[in-house]
Amino acid sequence: MSERRLSESGFPIKPVYDAADVPDDLESRLGAPGTYPYTRGVYPTMYTSRPWTMRQYAGFGTAAESNARYHQLLAAGTMGLSVAFDLPTQMGYDSDDPVAHGEVGKVGVAIDSVDDMRLLFDGIPLDRVSTSMTINAPASVLLLLYQLVAEESGVPGSALNGTIQNDILKEYIARGTYIYPPKPSLRLVADTFAYCRKETPKWNTISISGYHMAEAGATPVQEVAFTLANGVEYVRAALAAGLAVDDFAPRLSFFFVARTTLLEEVAKFRAARRIWARLMRDEFGAQDPKSWMLRFHTQTAGVQLTAQQPEVNLIRVAVQGLGAVLGGTQSLHTNSYDEAIALPTEKAARLALRTQQVLAYETDLTSTVDPFAGSYVVEAMTSEIEEGAVALMERVFGHGSSVDAIEAGFQKREIEASAYRVAQEIDSGERVVVGVNRFAMSEEEPYEPLRVDPTIEKAQAARLAELRAARDAGAVERALDDLRETASGTGNVLYPMKEALRARATVGEVSGALREIWGVYRPTDRF
């Protein structure tokens, strides 16, 4: 066994916990399930009435190929879709842009226009399926494409249920798929809040993400602190735009990782709920209890998957998924065991979903709410993570705001230091990774990964040429001019953006029009 006796966040883990380790005011820190401060879960019955939403993150190659995978997942019992977009789409470029060369369809599906979105969801009942889209800088563009396709099939915006990630701040910290500078990016987020409140009221307008920071090396304390600090920034931006807190806060959602360190992960989720409830009620004065609830999606830790002995990842994912469920997640994606090698095969994706189904239907996890409540170790860890995260948030706000801290490089430096420490521990053998630095095999079994067709880029370029030849070019340019004019002023840009997309403007053209007005962000910029 490992000799490590420190948590991922760096606090000591005791061999034995007892009542002396539990806070004296535990009863008030806990509350009942579904009541403030939501330590025990955001709903009174949690999984006893229905299980969490089972999502599988999928998308590759063309819209038609991804559509086939979605139908397979729905047939296998998944309850919600989670769309992965390729890098050009994430960065607001069309597939035939020179910048996109070599990346089309590689890490997700290529979506250039409403035509592609129509293919992506062909035959899928959008009024009955919840869809999550991992998209940030052009999140509003992809949401509007989704809404347009739904309207074509007779589904109104009021019936749409899902989430756009739309979390641009973590892109500046850990991921890098930003387009515009932070100030106009925050305006776009606030415009999306206002648009969705009126047009798609059941849609979750943002998924404030700690997942990508954790994948970059953030500890659980850092993940909670930096994510919730970003959440505070979004709330402030919406308030500055004139929105009332209870008009948008109930549609905020979050996105966290689940690691193999099960006890600390359970404590992390519980601490995050408690901190957010206190912030929304006491700092922002929210009156609606739904505004106090930290609802979140969880994905198992891709960074902990190994290319060596990939089948071992099945065990890792099962443990990670267990931690997410015990921590009270609202929806869950379990990674496929082969994702450290390539895009998941159909069999691997099905096994990942079966992992969730075993947890939901073969265990007793859905029989009771928050089974770890009162556990000496979990309650002690919950309080330690809470205290550590609050202290770290104060360091963020000491820069002025989360954006100011981002510009100073604070979060990035803290995460990089943690990632370096973990890398050193793995290299030295202090941190055991089964199959990598212990229990390794001299020869690995052969594995045939899923491969993306290299002709996709050419095919997407041909589709774009056909689209531009067939559409009303004058109508497109007039709509883009309206978008530029609105972006230059103070109006909500989503309304002219939707009309441009309806006229079959492309993702790259819409994003390009905003680039002309707002500019692009470079890490050395000041604003």
Side-chain angles (χ1 to χ4, degrees), residues 230-505:
N230 286 349
V232 167
E233 191 77 15
Y234 291 124
V235 172
R236 289 174 177 168
L239 293 174
L243 300 178
V245 65
D246 286 320
D247 285 344
F248 66 85
R251 302 316 305 173
L252 302 179
S253 64
F254 292 80
F255 177 24
F256 293 111
V257 78
R259 302 170 180 82
T260 53
T261 43
L262 186 146
L263 295 176
E264 188 176 4
E265 292 298 282
V266 171
K268 176 190 76 178
F269 297 131
R270 301 168 90 250
R273 278 195 294 269
R274 199 151 73 199
I275 296 169
W276 186 250
R278 188 168 59 246
L279 280 169
M280 295 306 296
R281 189 188 72 168
D282 299 345
E283 181 169 333
F284 292 109
Q287 300 296 309
D288 186 348
K290 291 181 180 178
S291 297
W292 308 337
M293 296 179 184
L294 184 144
R295 298 169 300 113
F296 65 97
H297 170 70
T298 309
Q299 182 172 339
T300 55
V303 73
Q304 291 187 317
L305 303 184
T306 64
Q308 300 92 331
Q309 300 181 41
E311 290 84 358
V312 177
N313 294 329
L314 286 165
I315 295 93
R316 293 188 178 103
V317 169
V319 172
Q320 294 162 357
L322 178 62
V325 172
L326 288 169
T329 192
Q330 275 58 71
S331 68
L332 177 62
H333 163 83
T334 35
N335 288 329
S336 300
Y337 73 89
D338 54 357
E339 287 186 37
I341 303 171
L343 289 169
T345 60
E346 180 183 344
K347 179 181 180 181
R350 186 171 59 249
L351 283 171
L353 176 60
R354 295 289 183 251
T355 301
Q356 294 201 52
Q357 291 166 335
V358 168
L359 291 175
Y361 301 113
E362 292 193 17
T363 74
D364 54 5
L365 290 173
T366 59
S367 300
T368 188
V369 177
D370 190 26
F372 272 149
S375 159
Y376 295 146
V377 60
V378 169
E379 296 299 356
M381 284 187 169
T382 299
S383 293
E384 285 183 286
I385 291 173
E386 178 183 15
E387 291 161 12
V390 169
L392 187 54
M393 290 174 73
E394 289 303 317
R395 292 178 65 195
V396 171
F397 298 142
H399 288 81
S401 70
S402 184
V403 171
D404 293 327
I406 289 168
E407 188 60 26
F410 174 69
Q411 297 97 322
K412 188 176 177 63
R413 284 195 304 273
E414 293 289 306
I415 292 170
E416 287 173 348
S418 297
Y420 181 63
R421 174 178 57 81
V422 170
Q424 287 182 309
E425 290 173 357
I426 293 173
D427 289 345
S428 69
E430 180 183 356
R431 178 185 293 258
V432 174
V433 181
V434 174
V436 176
N437 63 6
R438 198 179 295 186
F439 315 114
M441 296 173 63
S442 57
E443 292 185 11
E444 294 286 336
E445 297 178 5
Y447 170 80
E448 185 60 36
L450 178 71
R451 301 190 185 280
V452 175
D453 186 347
T455 66
I456 285 173
E457 185 173 331
K458 184 177 180 180
Q460 282 295 111
R463 283 175 55 80
L464 280 165
E466 291 175 8
L467 176 145
R468 293 187 179 112
R471 70 189 183 181
D472 184 338
V476 171
E477 194 51 45
R478 287 191 295 273
L480 291 173
D481 283 341
D482 288 344
L483 175 60
R484 294 184 188 97
E485 182 178 354
T486 305
S488 299
T490 59
N492 191 314
V493 296
L494 269 75
Y495 289 96
M497 186 186 292
K498 184 179 181 183
E499 294 311 308
L501 294 167
R502 192 195 307 276
R504 301 176 79 191

Side-chain angles (χ1 to χ4, degrees), residues 79-156:
M79 299 152 62
L81 300 175
S82 185
V83 184
F85 296 97
D86 73 354
L87 194 57
T89 304
Q90 293 181 49
M91 298 294 292
Y93 292 107
D94 291 330
S95 296
D96 61 354
D97 193 296
V99 173
H101 180 62
E103 292 293 341
V104 177
K106 287 291 179 66
V107 298
V109 61
I111 298 294
D112 293 316
S113 71
V114 69
D115 295 4
D116 288 334
M117 189 66 88
R118 192 181 297 118
L119 270 177
L120 185 64
F121 289 100
D122 184 43
I124 294 173
L126 299 186
D127 55 342
R128 300 199 301 273
V129 169
S130 171
T131 301
S132 173
M133 293 188 276
T134 302
I135 193 75
N136 294 283
S140 54
V141 181
L142 276 299
L143 169 61
L144 293 172
L145 290 175
Y146 186 84
Q147 185 186 6
L148 286 168
V149 169
E151 289 174 350
E152 290 175 358
S153 60
V155 178

